[in-house]
PDB file of all heavy atoms in Angstrom:
ATOM      1  N   GLN W   1     -85.280 -32.561  15.282  1.00  0.00           N
ATOM      2  CA  GLN W   1     -84.354 -33.638  14.955  1.00  0.00           C
ATOM      3  C   GLN W   1     -84.255 -33.701  13.431  1.00  0.00           C
ATOM      4  O   GLN W   1     -85.268 -33.828  12.763  1.00  0.00           O
ATOM      5  CB  GLN W   1     -84.874 -34.969  15.476  1.00  0.00           C
ATOM      6  CG  GLN W   1     -85.088 -34.988  16.971  1.00  0.00           C
ATOM      7  CD  GLN W   1     -85.904 -36.192  17.399  1.00  0.00           C
ATOM      8  OE1 GLN W   1     -85.633 -37.310  16.992  1.00  0.00           O
ATOM      9  NE2 GLN W   1     -86.924 -35.954  18.205  1.00  0.00           N
ATOM     10  N   LEU W   2     -83.057 -33.602  12.916  1.00  0.00           N
ATOM     11  CA  LEU W   2     -82.830 -33.639  11.473  1.00  0.00           C
ATOM     12  C   LEU W   2     -81.962 -34.838  11.141  1.00  0.00           C
ATOM     13  O   LEU W   2     -80.980 -35.115  11.830  1.00  0.00           O
ATOM     14  CB  LEU W   2     -82.115 -32.371  11.011  1.00  0.00           C
ATOM     15  CG  LEU W   2     -82.902 -31.083  11.191  1.00  0.00           C
ATOM     16  CD1 LEU W   2     -81.978 -29.919  11.394  1.00  0.00           C
ATOM     17  CD2 LEU W   2     -83.783 -30.874   9.983  1.00  0.00           C
ATOM     18  N   ILE W   3     -82.328 -35.553  10.084  1.00  0.00           N
ATOM     19  CA  ILE W   3     -81.526 -36.666   9.586  1.00  0.00           C
ATOM     20  C   ILE W   3     -81.298 -36.431   8.101  1.00  0.00           C
ATOM     21  O   ILE W   3     -82.247 -36.238   7.349  1.00  0.00           O
ATOM     22  CB  ILE W   3     -82.222 -38.026   9.803  1.00  0.00           C
ATOM     23  CG1 ILE W   3     -82.442 -38.266  11.293  1.00  0.00           C
ATOM     24  CG2 ILE W   3     -81.403 -39.153   9.177  1.00  0.00           C
ATOM     25  CD1 ILE W   3     -83.229 -39.514  11.601  1.00  0.00           C
ATOM     26  N   HIS W   4     -80.025 -36.425   7.712  1.00  0.00           N
ATOM     27  CA  HIS W   4     -79.677 -36.256   6.298  1.00  0.00           C
ATOM     28  C   HIS W   4     -79.039 -37.552   5.815  1.00  0.00           C
ATOM     29  O   HIS W   4     -78.034 -38.010   6.362  1.00  0.00           O
ATOM     30  CB  HIS W   4     -78.710 -35.084   6.125  1.00  0.00           C
ATOM     31  CG  HIS W   4     -78.353 -34.851   4.692  1.00  0.00           C
ATOM     32  ND1 HIS W   4     -79.181 -34.180   3.829  1.00  0.00           N
ATOM     33  CD2 HIS W   4     -77.273 -35.233   3.972  1.00  0.00           C
ATOM     34  CE1 HIS W   4     -78.623 -34.136   2.636  1.00  0.00           C
ATOM     35  NE2 HIS W   4     -77.468 -34.770   2.695  1.00  0.00           N
ATOM     36  N   VAL W   5     -79.648 -38.150   4.791  1.00  0.00           N
ATOM     37  CA  VAL W   5     -79.129 -39.391   4.219  1.00  0.00           C
ATOM     38  C   VAL W   5     -79.530 -39.456   2.746  1.00  0.00           C
ATOM     39  O   VAL W   5     -80.637 -39.060   2.383  1.00  0.00           O
ATOM     40  CB  VAL W   5     -79.641 -40.631   4.998  1.00  0.00           C
ATOM     41  CG1 VAL W   5     -81.138 -40.760   4.931  1.00  0.00           C
ATOM     42  CG2 VAL W   5     -78.964 -41.908   4.526  1.00  0.00           C
ATOM     43  N   HIS W   6     -78.627 -39.927   1.909  1.00  0.00           N
ATOM     44  CA  HIS W   6     -78.894 -40.076   0.469  1.00  0.00           C
ATOM     45  C   HIS W   6     -79.466 -38.796  -0.152  1.00  0.00           C
ATOM     46  O   HIS W   6     -80.446 -38.824  -0.881  1.00  0.00           O
ATOM     47  CB  HIS W   6     -79.856 -41.241   0.205  1.00  0.00           C
ATOM     48  CG  HIS W   6     -79.381 -42.549   0.723  1.00  0.00           C
ATOM     49  ND1 HIS W   6     -78.300 -43.212   0.201  1.00  0.00           N
ATOM     50  CD2 HIS W   6     -79.841 -43.327   1.729  1.00  0.00           C
ATOM     51  CE1 HIS W   6     -78.108 -44.332   0.855  1.00  0.00           C
ATOM     52  NE2 HIS W   6     -79.025 -44.431   1.792  1.00  0.00           N
ATOM     53  N   ASN W   7     -78.905 -37.677   0.169  1.00  0.00           N
ATOM     54  CA  ASN W   7     -79.341 -36.370  -0.356  1.00  0.00           C
ATOM     55  C   ASN W   7     -80.772 -36.009   0.024  1.00  0.00           C
ATOM     56  O   ASN W   7     -81.413 -35.203  -0.640  1.00  0.00           O
ATOM     57  CB  ASN W   7     -79.167 -36.292  -1.885  1.00  0.00           C
ATOM     58  CG  ASN W   7     -77.710 -36.365  -2.267  1.00  0.00           C
ATOM     59  OD1 ASN W   7     -76.852 -35.784  -1.595  1.00  0.00           O
ATOM     60  ND2 ASN W   7     -77.412 -37.082  -3.328  1.00  0.00           N
ATOM     61  N   HIS W   8     -81.293 -36.618   1.064  1.00  0.00           N
ATOM     62  CA  HIS W   8     -82.616 -36.286   1.590  1.00  0.00           C
ATOM     63  C   HIS W   8     -82.458 -35.833   3.030  1.00  0.00           C
ATOM     64  O   HIS W   8     -81.669 -36.415   3.783  1.00  0.00           O
ATOM     65  CB  HIS W   8     -83.559 -37.491   1.550  1.00  0.00           C
ATOM     66  CG  HIS W   8     -83.838 -37.989   0.179  1.00  0.00           C
ATOM     67  ND1 HIS W   8     -84.695 -37.354  -0.686  1.00  0.00           N
ATOM     68  CD2 HIS W   8     -83.364 -39.068  -0.489  1.00  0.00           C
ATOM     69  CE1 HIS W   8     -84.742 -38.016  -1.824  1.00  0.00           C
ATOM     70  NE2 HIS W   8     -83.940 -39.074  -1.734  1.00  0.00           N
ATOM     71  N   THR W   9     -83.214 -34.831   3.406  1.00  0.00           N
ATOM     72  CA  THR W   9     -83.207 -34.371   4.792  1.00  0.00           C
ATOM     73  C   THR W   9     -84.603 -34.547   5.366  1.00  0.00           C
ATOM     74  O   THR W   9     -85.589 -34.091   4.779  1.00  0.00           O
ATOM     75  CB  THR W   9     -82.771 -32.893   4.887  1.00  0.00           C
ATOM     76  OG1 THR W   9     -81.465 -32.771   4.308  1.00  0.00           O
ATOM     77  CG2 THR W   9     -82.730 -32.436   6.338  1.00  0.00           C
ATOM     78  N   LEU W  10     -84.674 -35.230   6.493  1.00  0.00           N
ATOM     79  CA  LEU W  10     -85.931 -35.467   7.193  1.00  0.00           C
ATOM     80  C   LEU W  10     -85.914 -34.663   8.486  1.00  0.00           C
ATOM     81  O   LEU W  10     -84.881 -34.551   9.136  1.00  0.00           O
ATOM     82  CB  LEU W  10     -86.084 -36.952   7.514  1.00  0.00           C
ATOM     83  CG  LEU W  10     -85.890 -37.904   6.339  1.00  0.00           C
ATOM     84  CD1 LEU W  10     -85.728 -39.330   6.833  1.00  0.00           C
ATOM     85  CD2 LEU W  10     -87.059 -37.801   5.383  1.00  0.00           C
ATOM     86  N   SER W  11     -87.071 -34.140   8.855  1.00  0.00           N
ATOM     87  CA  SER W  11     -87.148 -33.323  10.056  1.00  0.00           C
ATOM     88  C   SER W  11     -88.344 -33.754  10.900  1.00  0.00           C
ATOM     89  O   SER W  11     -89.410 -34.067  10.370  1.00  0.00           O
ATOM     90  CB  SER W  11     -87.308 -31.847   9.662  1.00  0.00           C
ATOM     91  OG  SER W  11     -87.619 -31.063  10.792  1.00  0.00           O
ATOM     92  N   PHE W  12     -88.150 -33.760  12.214  1.00  0.00           N
ATOM     93  CA  PHE W  12     -89.237 -34.003  13.152  1.00  0.00           C
ATOM     94  C   PHE W  12     -89.129 -32.951  14.241  1.00  0.00           C
ATOM     95  O   PHE W  12     -88.069 -32.773  14.835  1.00  0.00           O
ATOM     96  CB  PHE W  12     -89.120 -35.405  13.768  1.00  0.00           C
ATOM     97  CG  PHE W  12     -90.155 -35.670  14.826  1.00  0.00           C
ATOM     98  CD1 PHE W  12     -91.473 -35.926  14.467  1.00  0.00           C
ATOM     99  CD2 PHE W  12     -89.827 -35.639  16.167  1.00  0.00           C
ATOM    100  CE1 PHE W  12     -92.440 -36.168  15.436  1.00  0.00           C
ATOM    101  CE2 PHE W  12     -90.777 -35.884  17.143  1.00  0.00           C
ATOM    102  CZ  PHE W  12     -92.086 -36.144  16.771  1.00  0.00           C
ATOM    103  N   ILE W  13     -90.218 -32.224  14.464  1.00  0.00           N
ATOM    104  CA  ILE W  13     -90.222 -31.157  15.459  1.00  0.00           C
ATOM    105  C   ILE W  13     -91.161 -31.522  16.587  1.00  0.00           C
ATOM    106  O   ILE W  13     -92.292 -31.944  16.367  1.00  0.00           O
ATOM    107  CB  ILE W  13     -90.635 -29.808  14.843  1.00  0.00           C
ATOM    108  CG1 ILE W  13     -89.618 -29.394  13.780  1.00  0.00           C
ATOM    109  CG2 ILE W  13     -90.753 -28.735  15.922  1.00  0.00           C
ATOM    110  CD1 ILE W  13     -89.961 -28.126  13.051  1.00  0.00           C
ATOM    111  N   GLN W  14     -90.663 -31.342  17.799  1.00  0.00           N
ATOM    112  CA  GLN W  14     -91.444 -31.590  19.007  1.00  0.00           C
ATOM    113  C   GLN W  14     -91.368 -30.330  19.859  1.00  0.00           C
ATOM    114  O   GLN W  14     -90.295 -29.754  20.022  1.00  0.00           O
ATOM    115  CB  GLN W  14     -90.837 -32.768  19.755  1.00  0.00           C
ATOM    116  CG  GLN W  14     -91.474 -33.082  21.069  1.00  0.00           C
ATOM    117  CD  GLN W  14     -90.827 -34.291  21.716  1.00  0.00           C
ATOM    118  OE1 GLN W  14     -90.428 -35.228  21.057  1.00  0.00           O
ATOM    119  NE2 GLN W  14     -90.716 -34.253  23.014  1.00  0.00           N
ATOM    120  N   THR W  15     -92.516 -29.893  20.367  1.00  0.00           N
ATOM    121  CA  THR W  15     -92.521 -28.750  21.266  1.00  0.00           C
ATOM    122  C   THR W  15     -93.002 -29.212  22.633  1.00  0.00           C
ATOM    123  O   THR W  15     -93.728 -30.199  22.752  1.00  0.00           O
ATOM    124  CB  THR W  15     -93.430 -27.614  20.751  1.00  0.00           C
ATOM    125  OG1 THR W  15     -94.771 -28.083  20.665  1.00  0.00           O
ATOM    126  CG2 THR W  15     -92.972 -27.107  19.398  1.00  0.00           C
ATOM    127  N   ARG W  16     -92.609 -28.494  23.650  1.00  0.00           N
ATOM    128  CA  ARG W  16     -93.084 -28.791  24.998  1.00  0.00           C
ATOM    129  C   ARG W  16     -93.204 -27.466  25.740  1.00  0.00           C
ATOM    130  O   ARG W  16     -92.543 -26.495  25.416  1.00  0.00           O
ATOM    131  CB  ARG W  16     -92.148 -29.735  25.741  1.00  0.00           C
ATOM    132  CG  ARG W  16     -90.810 -29.107  26.068  1.00  0.00           C
ATOM    133  CD  ARG W  16     -90.079 -29.746  27.220  1.00  0.00           C
ATOM    134  NE  ARG W  16     -90.776 -29.710  28.474  1.00  0.00           N
ATOM    135  CZ  ARG W  16     -90.804 -28.680  29.320  1.00  0.00           C
ATOM    136  NH1 ARG W  16     -90.183 -27.564  29.030  1.00  0.00           N
ATOM    137  NH2 ARG W  16     -91.451 -28.777  30.455  1.00  0.00           N
ATOM    138  N   GLY W  17     -94.070 -27.472  26.697  1.00  0.00           N
ATOM    139  CA  GLY W  17     -94.236 -26.285  27.523  1.00  0.00           C
ATOM    140  C   GLY W  17     -95.268 -26.554  28.592  1.00  0.00           C
ATOM    141  O   GLY W  17     -95.864 -27.625  28.665  1.00  0.00           O
ATOM    142  N   SER W  18     -95.476 -25.571  29.399  1.00  0.00           N
ATOM    143  CA  SER W  18     -96.441 -25.681  30.478  1.00  0.00           C
ATOM    144  C   SER W  18     -97.855 -25.778  29.911  1.00  0.00           C
ATOM    145  O   SER W  18     -98.132 -25.310  28.806  1.00  0.00           O
ATOM    146  CB  SER W  18     -96.317 -24.441  31.368  1.00  0.00           C
ATOM    147  OG  SER W  18     -97.074 -24.573  32.530  1.00  0.00           O
ATOM    148  N   VAL W  19     -98.756 -26.380  30.663  1.00  0.00           N
ATOM    149  CA  VAL W  19    -100.157 -26.497  30.241  1.00  0.00           C
ATOM    150  C   VAL W  19    -100.714 -25.081  30.036  1.00  0.00           C
ATOM    151  O   VAL W  19    -100.613 -24.240  30.924  1.00  0.00           O
ATOM    152  CB  VAL W  19    -100.982 -27.260  31.293  1.00  0.00           C
ATOM    153  CG1 VAL W  19    -102.459 -27.240  30.954  1.00  0.00           C
ATOM    154  CG2 VAL W  19    -100.483 -28.696  31.403  1.00  0.00           C
ATOM    155  N   PRO W  20    -101.300 -24.790  28.855  1.00  0.00           N
ATOM    156  CA  PRO W  20    -101.713 -23.422  28.517  1.00  0.00           C
ATOM    157  C   PRO W  20    -103.041 -22.984  29.140  1.00  0.00           C
ATOM    158  O   PRO W  20    -103.988 -22.617  28.443  1.00  0.00           O
ATOM    159  CB  PRO W  20    -101.782 -23.449  26.990  1.00  0.00           C
ATOM    160  CG  PRO W  20    -102.080 -24.859  26.651  1.00  0.00           C
ATOM    161  CD  PRO W  20    -101.434 -25.694  27.710  1.00  0.00           C
ATOM    162  N   VAL W  21    -103.103 -23.035  30.450  1.00  0.00           N
ATOM    163  CA  VAL W  21    -104.196 -22.439  31.216  1.00  0.00           C
ATOM    164  C   VAL W  21    -103.533 -21.601  32.310  1.00  0.00           C
ATOM    165  O   VAL W  21    -102.337 -21.726  32.560  1.00  0.00           O
ATOM    166  CB  VAL W  21    -105.162 -23.498  31.815  1.00  0.00           C
ATOM    167  CG1 VAL W  21    -105.818 -24.324  30.715  1.00  0.00           C
ATOM    168  CG2 VAL W  21    -104.463 -24.403  32.805  1.00  0.00           C
ATOM    169  N   PHE W  22    -104.305 -20.745  32.974  1.00  0.00           N
ATOM    170  CA  PHE W  22    -103.749 -19.921  34.042  1.00  0.00           C
ATOM    171  C   PHE W  22    -103.678 -20.757  35.318  1.00  0.00           C
ATOM    172  O   PHE W  22    -104.700 -21.049  35.943  1.00  0.00           O
ATOM    173  CB  PHE W  22    -104.611 -18.674  34.268  1.00  0.00           C
ATOM    174  CG  PHE W  22    -104.473 -17.663  33.170  1.00  0.00           C
ATOM    175  CD1 PHE W  22    -105.437 -17.564  32.186  1.00  0.00           C
ATOM    176  CD2 PHE W  22    -103.378 -16.820  33.119  1.00  0.00           C
ATOM    177  CE1 PHE W  22    -105.316 -16.640  31.166  1.00  0.00           C
ATOM    178  CE2 PHE W  22    -103.244 -15.892  32.094  1.00  0.00           C
ATOM    179  CZ  PHE W  22    -104.216 -15.801  31.123  1.00  0.00           C
ATOM    180  N   TRP W  23    -102.474 -21.145  35.709  1.00  0.00           N
ATOM    181  CA  TRP W  23    -102.283 -21.949  36.911  1.00  0.00           C
ATOM    182  C   TRP W  23    -100.926 -21.643  37.522  1.00  0.00           C
ATOM    183  O   TRP W  23    -100.061 -21.049  36.888  1.00  0.00           O
ATOM    184  CB  TRP W  23    -102.454 -23.437  36.640  1.00  0.00           C
ATOM    185  CG  TRP W  23    -101.416 -24.085  35.776  1.00  0.00           C
ATOM    186  CD1 TRP W  23    -101.289 -23.977  34.416  1.00  0.00           C
ATOM    187  CD2 TRP W  23    -100.377 -24.953  36.205  1.00  0.00           C
ATOM    188  NE1 TRP W  23    -100.241 -24.730  33.978  1.00  0.00           N
ATOM    189  CE2 TRP W  23     -99.658 -25.341  35.051  1.00  0.00           C
ATOM    190  CE3 TRP W  23     -99.975 -25.455  37.436  1.00  0.00           C
ATOM    191  CZ2 TRP W  23     -98.564 -26.199  35.103  1.00  0.00           C
ATOM    192  CZ3 TRP W  23     -98.887 -26.307  37.489  1.00  0.00           C
ATOM    193  CH2 TRP W  23     -98.203 -26.679  36.330  1.00  0.00           C
ATOM    194  N   SER W  24    -100.767 -22.045  38.765  1.00  0.00           N
ATOM    195  CA  SER W  24     -99.510 -21.801  39.467  1.00  0.00           C
ATOM    196  C   SER W  24     -99.325 -22.848  40.556  1.00  0.00           C
ATOM    197  O   SER W  24    -100.232 -23.627  40.847  1.00  0.00           O
ATOM    198  CB  SER W  24     -99.496 -20.406  40.081  1.00  0.00           C
ATOM    199  OG  SER W  24    -100.552 -20.268  41.013  1.00  0.00           O
ATOM    200  N   GLN W  25     -98.133 -22.852  41.118  1.00  0.00           N
ATOM    201  CA  GLN W  25     -97.806 -23.682  42.274  1.00  0.00           C
ATOM    202  C   GLN W  25     -97.092 -22.780  43.263  1.00  0.00           C
ATOM    203  O   GLN W  25     -96.055 -22.194  42.949  1.00  0.00           O
ATOM    204  CB  GLN W  25     -96.912 -24.856  41.878  1.00  0.00           C
ATOM    205  CG  GLN W  25     -97.659 -25.916  41.108  1.00  0.00           C
ATOM    206  CD  GLN W  25     -96.759 -27.057  40.697  1.00  0.00           C
ATOM    207  OE1 GLN W  25     -95.861 -26.854  39.893  1.00  0.00           O
ATOM    208  NE2 GLN W  25     -97.003 -28.246  41.213  1.00  0.00           N
ATOM    209  N   VAL W  26     -97.636 -22.659  44.447  1.00  0.00           N
ATOM    210  CA  VAL W  26     -97.106 -21.745  45.450  1.00  0.00           C
ATOM    211  C   VAL W  26     -96.329 -22.530  46.494  1.00  0.00           C
ATOM    212  O   VAL W  26     -96.754 -23.594  46.923  1.00  0.00           O
ATOM    213  CB  VAL W  26     -98.251 -20.954  46.120  1.00  0.00           C
ATOM    214  CG1 VAL W  26     -97.707 -20.019  47.192  1.00  0.00           C
ATOM    215  CG2 VAL W  26     -99.029 -20.174  45.075  1.00  0.00           C
ATOM    216  N   GLY W  27     -95.205 -21.996  46.897  1.00  0.00           N
ATOM    217  CA  GLY W  27     -94.409 -22.620  47.948  1.00  0.00           C
ATOM    218  C   GLY W  27     -93.101 -23.151  47.422  1.00  0.00           C
ATOM    219  O   GLY W  27     -92.887 -23.241  46.208  1.00  0.00           O
ATOM    220  N   TYR W  28     -92.213 -23.502  48.340  1.00  0.00           N
ATOM    221  CA  TYR W  28     -90.881 -23.969  47.966  1.00  0.00           C
ATOM    222  C   TYR W  28     -90.696 -25.469  48.175  1.00  0.00           C
ATOM    223  O   TYR W  28     -89.722 -26.035  47.732  1.00  0.00           O
ATOM    224  CB  TYR W  28     -89.812 -23.220  48.777  1.00  0.00           C
ATOM    225  CG  TYR W  28     -89.755 -21.763  48.405  1.00  0.00           C
ATOM    226  CD1 TYR W  28     -90.354 -20.806  49.204  1.00  0.00           C
ATOM    227  CD2 TYR W  28     -89.112 -21.365  47.248  1.00  0.00           C
ATOM    228  CE1 TYR W  28     -90.307 -19.469  48.857  1.00  0.00           C
ATOM    229  CE2 TYR W  28     -89.057 -20.023  46.886  1.00  0.00           C
ATOM    230  CZ  TYR W  28     -89.658 -19.091  47.704  1.00  0.00           C
ATOM    231  OH  TYR W  28     -89.614 -17.775  47.351  1.00  0.00           O
ATOM    232  N   ARG W  29     -91.605 -26.112  48.862  1.00  0.00           N
ATOM    233  CA  ARG W  29     -91.426 -27.532  49.122  1.00  0.00           C
ATOM    234  C   ARG W  29     -91.549 -28.319  47.816  1.00  0.00           C
ATOM    235  O   ARG W  29     -92.095 -27.821  46.825  1.00  0.00           O
ATOM    236  CB  ARG W  29     -92.424 -28.037  50.155  1.00  0.00           C
ATOM    237  CG  ARG W  29     -93.849 -27.965  49.708  1.00  0.00           C
ATOM    238  CD  ARG W  29     -94.798 -28.284  50.866  1.00  0.00           C
ATOM    239  NE  ARG W  29     -96.135 -27.936  50.436  1.00  0.00           N
ATOM    240  CZ  ARG W  29     -97.049 -28.809  50.086  1.00  0.00           C
ATOM    241  NH1 ARG W  29     -96.804 -30.090  50.145  1.00  0.00           N
ATOM    242  NH2 ARG W  29     -98.233 -28.416  49.686  1.00  0.00           N
TER     243      ARG W  29
END
C-alpha cells in the first residue's frame, strides 16, 4: 500500500501465504 502526499511517499507491505511447514489437506469436501 503506497500513499503519496506532500511530496512524501509512505509504504506498507503485507505478505501472506500458507503456514511454512509440510502439511496438506486431502479430499474434495
Side-chain angles (χ1 to χ4, degrees):
Q1 301 166 48
L2 296 151
I3 299 175
H4 181 80
V5 62
H6 302 292
N7 295 321
H8 297 284
T9 302
L10 309 166
S11 170
F12 175 75
I13 297 177
Q14 176 178 324
T15 62
R16 68 157 300 278
S18 189
V19 173
V21 299
F22 287 101
W23 68 285
S24 60
Q25 287 179 294
V26 179
Y28 293 101
R29 65 189 169 105

